[in-house]
Amino acid sequence: MDTSKVLHMNGGLGNNSYARNSSIQKNVISMTKLMIEEAVMNLCSQTTHATLVVADLGCSSGPNTLYTVTEIVRAVENLCKVTGHRPPEYQVFLNDLPGNDFNTLFRMLPDFQEKYPKSEERPRCFFSGVPGSFYGRLFPCNSLHFVHSACSLHWLSKVPKHIENNERNICTARTSPPNVLEAYHEQFHEDFTMFLDCRAAEIVSGGSMVLTIAGRRSNDQYSNGCCYVWELLAMALQEMVSEGLIEEKKLFDFNVPGYTPTLEEVKSKIENQGSFSISNLVVLEVNWGAYDSKINSGVSSEGEGGINVVKCVRAAVEQILLHHFGDGIVEGCFDRYKKLFVDRVSKEEKVFTDVCVSLIRK
Ligand SMILES: C[S@@+](CC[C@H](N)C(=O)[O-])C[C@H]1O[C@@H](n2cnc3c(N)ncnc32)[C@H](O)[C@@H]1O
């Protein structure tokens, strides 16, 4: 599977859209607010910029990217109040894969401007959409001051090769053979290094980058976080195979292009690539149950008879399931997924883990 041709979050503003089901990611971004603020302060306290060029990579089609831009702009404007400097204009590039629903995102831009009721206090933000993979060059050399990317770099550029023996698993899992674990790690290494090479070319010396990556704490590749999301999805698909609703071979042929690194893995790839210094590196954790006030009853706090976390997962992975299995299995798969999820979360405490790093271009 070539991720750039298949992957996109559910578009539009409907019940299953990413725009309406991305509260987990919003919470993760809000936990990194301080890190974003520190990076921006560091960037702007050294030089004044007439135009600050900002890019959000893997922006998707919901409100979270505009929330991030708001936080970046707020940090700059606050700093300018303290220093007495005139605030810059902002050129903001919103990047995602070509299949992303950029139109839904662009329709949210007037609301972004209207958040500032007095027109004279409105920051001058000039937005552009940039379709393309962040595992390649997206911008000219030395053209960016600040790069942000949240909850996106766990998506690999493709499913690793030679993992046919992963069988009933759909990603790294407890029962994955060692070659599968190695292949996923190798693909992450290749992709993340390419990502850093490209950004090293594009970001000016002294420029900043804040990355939040769905990750894991333990060295076991199947320990928790995203792997757990995939493990439950694999169980739902396996149930459908047992019931004769999906061919076993179809499941054996399906693997997801996802990898959740540890803090140590992220650190070592950055150090080996060599173009950035690390100014902050932390692990963040969010409890799954925190998103569902009525988790045990199976009724979501949004009152739509679903579970918020399950809906967030569906908004993110539905398209790759559709691509491989066709649309006949999707409802059944997510009904089973919801039951498995409610059962597990009521018995065990589970957390989403993210590795968050703030970098400065040397
Ligand atoms: C879970 S969403 C996160 C969106 C947003 N940053 C947020 O935090 O809500 C991940 C996004 O990364 C995008 N993505 C994945 N691989 C990508 C790539 N190689 N290049 C650009 N975008 C990518 C996906 O299309 C998706 O929109």
Side-chain angles (χ1 to χ4, degrees), residues 331-345:
E331 290 303 328
C333 177
F334 284 105
D335 285 349
R336 286 166 180 79
Y337 189 84
K338 188 159 85 181
K339 286 199 190 94
L340 290 163
F341 180 87
V342 172
D343 181 52
R344 278 286 183 96
V345 172

Side-chain angles (χ1 to χ4, degrees), residues 6-279:
V6 176
L7 183 68
H8 57 94
M9 308 295 104
N10 283 347
L13 293 169
N15 281 346
N16 292 326
S17 63
Y18 186 80
R20 289 186 61 181
N21 296 287
S22 44
S23 53
I24 298 173
Q25 294 86 339
K26 159 91 187 283
N27 245 282
V28 171
I29 299 169
S30 71
M31 288 168 81
T32 65
K33 241 163 76 172
L34 207 60
M35 200 183 268
I36 294 175
E37 207 174 285
E38 278 167 10
V40 166
M41 302 261 277
N42 181 54
L43 177 71
C44 295
S45 55
Q46 319 220 331
T47 331
T48 54
H49 302 270
T51 304
L52 194 73
V53 186
V54 173
D56 190 34
L57 308 184
C59 63
S60 201
S61 59
N64 293 354
T65 186
L66 299 180
Y67 170 74
T68 304
V69 176
T70 305
E71 289 308 319
I72 295 168
V73 168
R74 194 200 314 273
V76 179
E77 306 277 306
N78 285 345
L79 182 67
C80 289
K81 278 190 195 133
V82 174
T83 59
H85 289 130
R86 178 205 280 263
E89 296 190 331
Y90 303 87
Q91 180 158 28
V92 182
F93 291 113
L94 304 178
N95 154 260
D96 209 289
L97 291 170
N100 184 53
D101 183 2
F102 283 100
N103 283 338
T104 291
L105 179 54
F106 293 160
R107 284 193 203 102
M108 293 175 184
L109 291 176
D111 287 347
F112 170 86
Q113 296 289 2
E114 279 158 22
K115 266 203 311 241
Y116 302 88
K118 293 190 192 151
S119 60
E120 66 278 12
E121 286 177 7
R122 272 182 203 163
R124 284 186 171 269
C125 291
F126 303 95
F127 288 91
S128 306
V130 179
S133 171
F134 50 50
Y135 295 127
R137 286 286 304 278
L138 295 165
F139 305 97
C141 278
N142 295 316
S143 62
L144 302 176
H145 298 115
F146 186 82
V147 169
H148 177 264
S149 181
C151 312
S152 300
L153 277 156
H154 61 285
W155 288 111
L156 300 171
S157 66
K158 54 178 176 279
V159 172
K161 290 203 176 103
H162 311 305
I163 58 164
E164 295 74 13
N165 58 343
N166 206 22
E167 300 198 337
R168 293 165 79 88
N169 301 312
I170 62 170
C171 197
T172 50
R174 232 169 291 269
T175 52
S176 292
N179 71 296
V180 172
L181 304 181
E182 185 47 39
Y184 267 98
H185 175 252
E186 192 44 44
Q187 189 62 50
F188 173 72
H189 169 76
E190 201 180 288
D191 285 342
F192 191 50
T193 305
M194 176 61 83
F195 177 88
L196 294 171
D197 286 345
C198 293
R199 302 304 76 82
E202 296 164 353
I203 299 175
V204 299
S205 173
S208 298
M209 177 154 76
V210 173
L211 309 174
T212 303
I213 310 172
R216 66 185 202 282
R217 263 207 195 274
S218 147
N219 281 332
D220 293 339
Q221 283 187 24
Y222 51 78
S223 61
N224 64 13
C226 267
C227 277
Y228 193 67
V229 167
W230 302 132
E231 191 187 316
L232 291 184
L233 195 57
M235 286 165 70
L237 292 167
Q238 286 160 18
E239 274 186 28
M240 295 180 85
V241 170
S242 318
E243 293 163 33
L245 299 170
I246 293 177
E247 262 179 72
E248 188 173 59
K249 161 114 183 44
K250 203 79 185 146
L251 175 58
F252 280 21
D253 288 345
F254 181 65
N255 284 292
V256 169
Y259 185 82
T260 46
T262 60
L263 177 143
E264 289 74 22
E265 284 172 343
V266 170
K267 184 167 182 270
S268 83
K269 312 287 173 226
I270 293 166
E271 286 173 350
N272 289 343
Q273 196 278 337
S275 304
F276 295 90
S277 53
I278 297 176
S279 58

